Amino acid sequence: MAGTYSELFCQSNFSFLTGASHPEELVGRAAELGYSALALCDECSVAGVVRAHSHIKAQQLPIKLIVGSYLCYEELELVVLCPTKSAYSQLCRVITNARRRCEKGRYQLSEWDLKTLKGCILIWLVHGRSEAAKTADKEWGPWLQRHYGEQLYLGVRRELNGFEPEQLAYIRTLSEQWQISEVALGAVLMHTPERLPLQHVLSAIKQGQTVSSLGQSLLANAERALRPLDKLAKLFSPAQLATSEQIAQSCAFNLDELSYQYPYELVPQGLSASEHLKSLVEQGARKRFKGVAPPAIQATIDKELALIAEQGYEPFFLTIHDIVQFAKRHDILYQGRGSAANSVVCYCLEITAVDPRQIDVLFERFISKERNEPPDIDVDFEHQRREEVFQYIYQKYGRQRAALAATVITYRLKSAMRDVGKALGFSDTQLDYYIKQLNRRHGGGQWQAQLIQLGLDPEATINQHFFRLVDEIKGFPRHLSQHVGGFVISEGPLHELVPVENAAMLERTVIQWDKDDLESLKLLKVDVLALGMLSAIQRSFKLLEKHYQHSISIADITRLGDDPQVYAMLQKADTVGVFQIESRAQMSMLPRLKPRCYYDLVIQIAIVRPGPIQGDMVHPYLRRRDGDEAVEYPSKQVEQVLKRTLGVPIFQEQVIKVAMVAAGFSGGEADQLRRAMAKWKRDGELTQFKQKLIDGMLQRGYDYQFAERIYQQICGFGEYGFPESHSASFAVLAYVSAYLKYYYPEVFFCALANSLPMGFYSLDQLVQDARRHNINILAVDVNHSLWEHQVIRQGEHVAVRLGFCCIKGFSAASADKLIAQRPTSGYRSISELYHHGLQEGELETLASSNALAAIAKDRFNSRWQIMDKQQRLPLFADDESIMEEESVLAAPSGIQDTLEDYASMGVNMGAHPLTYLRQQGLFSNAKKASELSQCRNGASVTIAGLVTGRQSPGSAAGVTFLTLEDDTGNINVVVWLATAKAQQKAFLTARLLEVKGVVEHHKGVVHVIAGRLIDHSDKLPALILKSRFFH
Amino acid sequence: MYLAVYCAHLQLQRRQLQEPAVLVAKEHVVQVNAAAQRLGVRLGMGLASAAALCATLQVYPYEPELERQLLQELAAHCYQVCGDIILAGSDCLIVVATSMRALYPSTEQLFGALAPVIRAFVPHFYYASGESMEVAELLAREQRNFISDEASVCRQHLARVEVTDLLLAVEHKQQLARLGIERVEQLLALPMNQLRQRFHYEVVDYLTRLQGQLPHAGLAKKSGYYRFYQPTQSFSESRELNFEIDNCERLLRPLTQLCECLCRYLRQHQLHTQRLVFSLFFREQVALELCLDSVEPQGQLAPWQALLEIKLAALVLPAPVIAIRLQCEEFVSADGHSENLFAKRQQGLAKQQLLSLLNARLGPQHCYRLQPGRAHIPEFTQVQEATLHPYQDGLPASPQALLRPNFMIEPVPLQEQLCLLRGPERIQSHWWQQAQLERDYYIGENSRGQLCWVFRDKHKGWFIQGYFA
């Protein structure tokens, strides 16, 4: 066939559980086959078009993308194509209307919607397989022709099925009857015929049945794949083919035309956005720099403003400025982060509180022009108040103009195994078992190999299909979900730009594109995120103001400069509750890295991540830092990139830059690399860059090992990317929280406890740590506590009183009632509490938490009293004597007190359980956590404690880190793979563990390398202490 | 006095597995065998943890209904030696020992008679006696394994039971724990009127029952938890043979006599049945079961006898038979199956009888009928189905029928010239069963004017598979 062909009806896997190819695969294959255009028409969706568009651009494919959608209304099936931008807006509006009428995942068109698709080209799909369908067609035919005239076509599909001859004849009749031109359509669902089994599996998943039971409901053949031109020439008439080509030529709309406008209402009349931004920055600079900005700073500001103006990003900065001003007005603490957030402009606009003079950041801290990235600013808000910011945005811009970006939820290994397995007829129990087995710590190897080990016969045909199909379906989109906080806000209605649909969460709407799509089209989104630590810091500031009359802010603390005493505390790894550096892995790194200044913290936060660990960059960095290894650079260019991290790449930006300077990646390629990193785990896209990276580096004279390590690090970043710009902002919060912990431990503890749940530690663990720091923790008391925990300061004496909030089953409303009616002298008896209308159940929880200790007997007898139904009869209401009956029950023992504390509050107010066990003569030989630092390196020891953490980081090659808590502190236990495997029973299930092992000291870090593990969980049978697992 | 027998892990035990195995419900282990226990697998453990402890763990779903059924069967066995059996939950039997005093003067003797019966059914079980059925059940579940007619001994055992093990709702047990009450003796030491003022009726009722203070032993009001065993409607008749029989022909007579007994029973009860199970017992070998299945429920001797003859003709006895038994447990009412005079019915019955005969002669594994399916490939549009399944007429509903020939044949290579009239209809399917089938079907006319259904396979070979006329 000499001519060419345009496929006008193609559904990708964004027609969920129907299309069996990615949009990229479809355009890629169509270009290979020599198609001149391809219309991506997912069902009531344009979610896949940006991917196809970006792929065409990135690969410079000689094919045109037509944006369209497949819509069903009653019996009517239509393919709608967008020849122009206005037609595209119409389609987006119609999709939005149809989607917004229904719950997530469904749509409902109306006749009116169809009438408004004036600018679109419509291809009518008919089959005429039943009389009912033919009758409906008779009605729709004239209607469609009346409304669309020349823009209406009849689609001719050649699927080589058993109905075809009649269907073709029927179409011919309709075409002649109403003078509608026929056009060739592939109705494509797959980019190659080899996807047929996957398409069958998707159909089975959709219908909730097995493939073998679906019979003729499955596609009969693979004709709905992209077909070669010569085959098409045999199937369709020249006229039908020519029409498709002619329609494609009339479609001139390109997604690049979408120029999106940020809201201009933030710019006062008479000013340009640029002028307004400049004046705000000037105002801010005067405030920030107490008058006039120093000349060097002013020069940076001018440079940054020029760059912003050049890219037209002013409204973006103005929008974020507006949002943070709202937060400021409402006293919501926030902090900006990201590459652009660390600019002086953002400091002046009060988006960040990091004084650029104090933090002498050496890195390029602004929009990267050569990488063609949009400015990256995420703003974190106090997690307990983020919703207020959301509501402000909705209120200010309206739901028409503001929506959340989507997150595409894709098939991952386990979901893929489950769905494919069911479709192939595997039993639920069998699948459950396989999936659970994959959870195993020492899995290792490929998942297929693991299943074979579990007894799946690799020779059986069905199992081979299972292996292949699971791999194929991985990365397939399953549904759209909402992004954590990425807002798209526009000048005009958003639905003219992209369809908006309902999210699962009530009152939330999402657009049909995710953040990568937005980035590809250079549309800006504002990330409004929630951060628990900001709540804790804000609470700390308020408490400082109240109890110490210090008015202080994040900016004030950073302005004070690096405080050696705060850093001394960090170097000792005394960081429970400190932002980002409180995890076990971070704690073991602190004494080795010994941070001395802000930038050290930036590195500290970024280094304990899968990227640097997998790239084997941690030890070289530490050796160089300690002067044990010379700092060398393979080349001048690499030196520029890696100088501030002593020649060792630590940050995500650095490896990307190394790829550019050392492997010769262009800006565009680097950008693709960055995106592939983000999707690595999902799609495995990174492998395509490996050869290019390594070849490029070898060609430029770098050694193979260095290249391989850089690649491994890139893979590591893929699992958890961590750019320097974010680390820099987090380091500020880490420092501020450490500063508060050091100087105002009671205040910090109280604020942290009131901001739970957040961070790594439970209230109990925070309390244990506070006690080790000699903080006086006062128990919940019916006569003194408030709902939240509070700082009590009397002269020099400072303490923290726990609040009612930690009592399980005691409501805030009851606490309010109890506090509001509390006599100044306090309650005197339980009956008094009765009279204030507290429910029996809630009183019982108060009794069990020992909050009634001051006015009643022990907790068992108080609860016993409260349970007496007779006491609540009106007859006895005023008779207090009845309440004061004899103790019937034995008072709790020490261990019972502890158990009750855990059961009622999750916090132990008494002695540590280990203390009781020691009193019973157990673990008399065991060293305490506090004694370990005195043991010599290599000494054999026995230790015992509650298992409070089991971490088995993927980067640690099967090593598991156990945290044992005893009465004096936490002990770090390293369990090697072989040890764990040999003693699985104790290793996996013990809650109270005795470990015989060897002490290891290394640069201030003390570990015990486990030898024998002995499970003593039965010694504390009822102890309710949830071990926290991290995988 | 009551005697309770607790058959822990009943469903799993009946599987008689040597390898580590568990039963799971909602991804948690609910039954575990000894081999798995040795590896550290415990009840309540998540499936993931259990699997991590033992890579070769065998996992089966827990089926509560099946377990109740098993308990019912066990009770039927026990019913041979004692009456008055109460089923508790799905894994515990309680026998009212006092009502069996005439036969067994002591509970010990009752247990002596019962134990071998139970052991034959399930290898491991726990037992205890108690003043009330709740006490007996509790102590059996506590695995106390003691029998005594002394109330004081039972009370001593009871006093040591932990409150967490009581058969009470979790919230009630938590309530007790929150008062520091850990053992039953602490609980029973509290004045009953004080408890009544504080606890739910269920708790007080249960405690009263534990103390044996309720005047009559009615079943507690837990929906369906306790139920009296009622013998199921079943027929079982055995014969000890006076001499060993090693010849099938001679076996026919005594077996037919058993059949006569059954038919009498069926007539008396106005029942029919579809399945008879004969057991042939040998001196040493395991008993041999012969199942006779009829496609249609029968109550007459003749058809069963015919089937029995055919079955025996194919049988080779492994050893001389010393005893025989006939069991029949599945019945249907005879009302719906009375013979009538309509010829069609008679014909239908003849067909059914033929099927029964074929089944008996060839074995059900060799006897199929074809059912229409809805696959694209003609070979798979006929589904093999055991003849004993209820027959469904007609095709499952299809959106639209494809054009298919009336006369379908096994594909044979096409030997003649055809003029193709319609096609191709391309079918690529059934990749999940074997290598994917790929065929292009056409309708063609041969020189004799026949309309043939032909296809070309992926090796370009032509085959004929049917005729339209």
Side-chain angles (χ1 to χ4, degrees), chain A residues 490-765:
Chain A
S490 69
E491 172 70 16
L494 255 182
H495 61 244
E496 290 183 355
L497 185 75
V498 52
V500 179
E501 58 181 69
N502 292 330
M505 201 172 157
L506 205 66
E507 293 297 299
R508 288 268 194 280
T509 44
V510 297
I511 61 167
Q512 286 190 332
W513 292 336
D514 74 355
K515 67 178 174 48
D516 289 341
D517 297 338
L518 291 172
E519 213 175 278
S520 305
L521 296 178
K522 305 211 173 45
L523 305 183
L524 301 178
K525 77 173 188 334
V526 181
D527 278 310
V528 178
L529 304 172
L531 196 61
M533 184 47 75
L534 283 170
S535 299
I537 291 174
Q538 177 76 325
R539 285 167 181 279
S540 297
F541 289 164
K542 295 223 163 117
L543 288 171
L544 282 177
E545 214 171 321
K546 184 175 169 194
H547 294 286
Y548 294 82
Q549 289 74 49
H550 289 345
S551 179
I552 197 168
S553 68
I554 292 179
D556 295 333
I557 295 177
T558 58
R559 246 194 303 270
L560 292 171
D562 295 330
D563 185 325
Q565 285 173 300
V566 173
Y567 282 100
M569 177 182 84
L570 298 185
Q571 288 171 9
K572 281 191 297 185
D574 181 8
T575 53
V576 170
V578 177
F579 186 56
Q580 285 285 322
I581 49 172
E582 60 174 338
S583 73
R584 183 191 129 155
Q586 287 281 1
M587 277 192 186
S588 68
M589 181 60 69
L590 283 164
R592 290 196 278 170
L593 198 138
K594 289 199 188 324
R596 290 184 291 268
C597 62
Y598 167 75
Y599 195 72
D600 287 349
L601 270 185
V602 178
I603 291 175
Q604 166 79 36
I605 288 172
I607 201 166
V608 188
R609 305 273 165 188
I613 294 171
Q614 278 185 27
D616 198 14
M617 300 299 178
V618 180
H619 291 105
Y621 177 78
L622 291 175
R623 282 200 297 274
R624 289 179 180 202
R625 194 175 154 86
D626 291 344
D628 297 340
E629 184 180 298
V631 178
E632 286 170 353
Y633 300 96
S635 71
K636 262 273 170 254
Q637 293 96 325
V638 171
E639 179 176 357
Q640 268 193 337
V641 181
L642 301 181
K643 197 165 177 199
R644 61 185 182 278
T645 51
L646 308 177
V648 181
I650 302 233
F651 302 109
Q652 190 172 336
E653 296 97 325
Q654 285 179 315
V655 289
I656 291 173
K657 275 200 171 172
V658 167
M660 289 173 80
V661 303
F665 275 50
S666 67
E669 285 169 329
D671 194 40
Q672 282 175 37
L673 175 65
R674 187 175 56 82
R675 287 183 189 208
M677 272 160 76
K679 288 195 270 178
W680 156 238
K681 227 178 169 178
R682 214 164 57 215
D683 303 346
E685 251 184 52
L686 267 184
T687 29
Q688 57 176 318
F689 292 98
K690 181 174 183 180
Q691 210 48 49
K692 178 162 174 55
L693 184 92
I694 290 177
D695 289 350
M697 289 178 75
L698 292 178
Q699 273 167 23
R700 287 168 182 75
Y702 296 94
D703 71 25
Y704 180 81
Q705 275 187 335
F706 182 68
E708 180 66 35
R709 267 166 48 196
I710 291 283
Y711 176 71
Q712 287 308 327
Q713 192 165 0
I714 287 174
C715 294
F717 278 127
E719 290 195 16
Y720 194 95
F722 211 71
E724 186 177 29
S725 49
H726 289 257
S727 195
S729 284
F730 279 169
V732 172
L733 298 184
Y735 179 75
V736 169
S737 54
Y739 179 91
L740 292 168
K741 181 179 168 85
Y742 182 76
Y743 284 105
Y744 304 101
E746 291 85 1
V747 164
F748 183 64
F749 163 76
C750 183
L752 206 56
N754 278 330
S755 307
L756 290 176
M758 58 167 281
F760 262 74
Y761 298 102
S762 64
L763 180 60
D764 185 53
Q765 288 167 310

Side-chain angles (χ1 to χ4, degrees), chain A residues 441 585 610 613 950-961 1030-1031:
Chain A
R441 284 159 207 284
I613 294 171
R950 264 190 197 94
Q951 280 182 284
S952 195
S955 50
V959 178
T960 301
F961 300 104
F1030 297 92
H1031 298 290

Side-chain angles (χ1 to χ4, degrees), chain A residues 452-476:
Chain A
I452 292 168
Q453 275 180 358
L454 294 174
L456 201 70
D457 177 10
E459 301 299 321
T461 318
I462 197 75
N463 295 341
Q464 287 172 359
H465 287 306
F466 178 69
F467 289 152
R468 186 172 51 82
L469 289 164
V470 167
D471 266 342
E472 269 181 0
I473 206 174
K474 272 196 289 176
F476 261 48

Side-chain angles (χ1 to χ4, degrees), chain B residues 72-85:
Chain B
Q72 183 80 19
E73 279 178 31
L74 174 60
H77 286 272
C78 295
Y79 197 65
Q80 310 295 321
V81 289
C82 66
D84 232 349
I85 300 173

Side-chain angles (χ1 to χ4, degrees), chain A residues 143-366:
Chain A
W143 188 91
L144 287 168
Q145 211 194 22
R146 194 165 64 244
H147 286 95
Y148 303 105
E150 295 284 288
Q151 284 160 275
L152 180 68
Y153 297 86
L154 262 168
V156 180
R157 291 169 285 179
R158 295 296 315 270
E159 295 170 25
L160 304 188
N161 60 28
F163 308 108
E164 211 167 68
E166 292 76 16
Q167 192 169 318
L168 292 176
Y170 177 65
I171 293 171
R172 172 59 39 91
T173 322
L174 290 189
S175 158
E176 283 166 3
Q177 187 178 354
W178 287 310
Q179 297 299 306
I180 308 172
S181 308
E182 294 176 16
V183 60
L185 290 185
V188 171
L189 294 175
M190 305 162 273
H191 72 296
T192 67
E194 285 72 38
R195 280 285 163 89
L196 183 66
L198 183 61
Q199 205 288 328
H200 284 165
V201 165
L202 292 170
S203 302
I205 296 172
K206 192 172 184 177
Q207 302 196 37
Q209 295 193 31
T210 61
V211 170
S212 58
S213 69
L214 278 179
Q216 289 173 12
S217 307
L218 295 174
L219 284 187
N221 57 42
E223 293 304 302
R224 292 186 70 176
L226 290 170
R227 294 175 283 195
L229 296 181
D230 52 355
K231 183 170 175 181
L232 293 168
K234 287 181 197 152
L235 292 171
F236 293 103
S237 73
Q240 290 165 343
L241 291 170
T243 311
S244 80
E245 198 55 25
Q246 177 203 326
I247 292 176
Q249 276 171 11
S250 71
C251 290
F253 170 66
N254 184 314
L255 281 171
D256 281 337
E257 286 174 43
L258 290 181
S259 61
Y260 150 72
Q261 295 208 316
Y262 244 87
Y264 263 76
E265 65 218 65
L266 299 170
V267 183
Q269 278 207 326
L271 283 180
S272 71
S274 196
E275 287 163 348
H276 183 51
L277 180 67
K278 196 173 173 202
S279 82
L280 286 175
V281 171
E282 277 166 5
Q283 274 174 37
R286 279 197 294 280
K287 193 170 158 195
R288 288 293 203 193
F289 301 106
K290 308 260 180 321
V292 185
I297 298 272
Q298 189 56 50
T300 316
I301 293 177
D302 293 343
K303 197 175 132 201
E304 288 176 359
L305 282 175
L307 205 52
I308 292 170
E310 198 179 306
Q311 305 277 331
Y313 288 147
E314 295 96 339
F316 176 67
F317 284 84
L318 289 173
T319 309
I320 294 178
H321 173 253
D322 176 59
I323 294 170
V324 300
Q325 289 304 315
F326 163 79
K328 215 175 155 202
R329 281 197 301 280
H330 291 80
D331 211 12
I332 302 170
L333 194 62
Y334 61 88
Q335 160 89 341
R337 68 185 150 103
S339 60
N342 294 307
S343 61
V344 185
V345 164
C346 281
Y347 180 64
C348 294
L349 291 175
E350 298 184 284
I351 294 167
T352 53
V354 189
D355 185 341
R357 290 172 307 178
Q358 294 296 327
I359 306 157
D360 184 19
V361 276
L362 295 162
F363 52 91
E364 183 191 89
R365 56 171 172 248
F366 207 49

Side-chain angles (χ1 to χ4, degrees), chain A residues 475-496:
Chain A
F476 261 48
R478 187 67 191 76
H479 59 93
L480 294 184
S481 177
Q482 65 179 58
H483 186 265
V484 285
F487 264 100
V488 182
I489 305 170
S490 69
E491 172 70 16
L494 255 182
H495 61 244
E496 290 183 355

